[in-house]
Amino acid sequence: VLFVAGLSFVIGLERTFRFFFQKHKMKATGFFLGGVLIVLIGWPLIGMILEIYGFFLLFRGFFPVVVGFIRRVPVLGYLLNLPGISSVSVQCSVQNLLL
């Protein structure tokens, strides 16, 4: 609930509504808001799992941008550029772009 309220304060109510209720994001919005409802009903574990799944569906397009930003942070960028981790994060970024 606080996440949606904070997002509304940052980008405005109309843009928040348009973001959540785009046709191609209805499944993700359903999982996210359904998870919030289930938490409020009294089943927090199941509701949080649904919220997390909906969150990842809603914001999967932003993950490559976040990884690119973290690569520029001094310590975290060094860790992400290590040989084993670098190949995994590049593959995940390419797969997200293709979706």
Side-chain angles (χ1 to χ4, degrees):
V1 174
L2 292 176
F3 173 76
V4 175
L7 189 63
S8 298
F9 279 120
V10 172
I11 66 172
L13 289 173
E14 181 181 347
R15 290 183 71 194
T16 301
F17 185 81
R18 279 191 281 148
F19 175 78
F20 278 101
F21 293 103
Q22 294 174 7
K23 267 193 170 178
H24 65 279
K25 292 185 180 181
M26 290 304 289
K27 176 182 172 185
T29 300
F31 274 105
F32 184 77
L33 296 178
V36 171
L37 180 68
I38 290 175
V39 166
L40 293 175
I41 287 174
W43 293 347
L45 185 62
I46 295 170
M48 287 172 47
I49 291 169
L50 291 176
E51 284 180 42
I52 291 169
Y53 180 66
F55 180 84
F56 281 122
L57 289 178
L58 279 169
F59 295 102
R60 68 179 169 198
F62 295 115
F63 291 133
V65 175
V66 171
V67 169
F69 175 77
I70 292 174
R71 283 187 189 275
R72 293 182 182 93
V73 175
V75 175
L76 296 175
Y78 173 75
L79 292 174
L80 280 179
N81 287 324
L82 290 173
I85 298 173
S86 176
S87 63
V88 172
S89 62
V90 170
Q91 289 173 352
C92 290
S93 298
V94 170
Q95 288 176 351
N96 283 334
L97 289 175
L98 295 176
L99 294 175

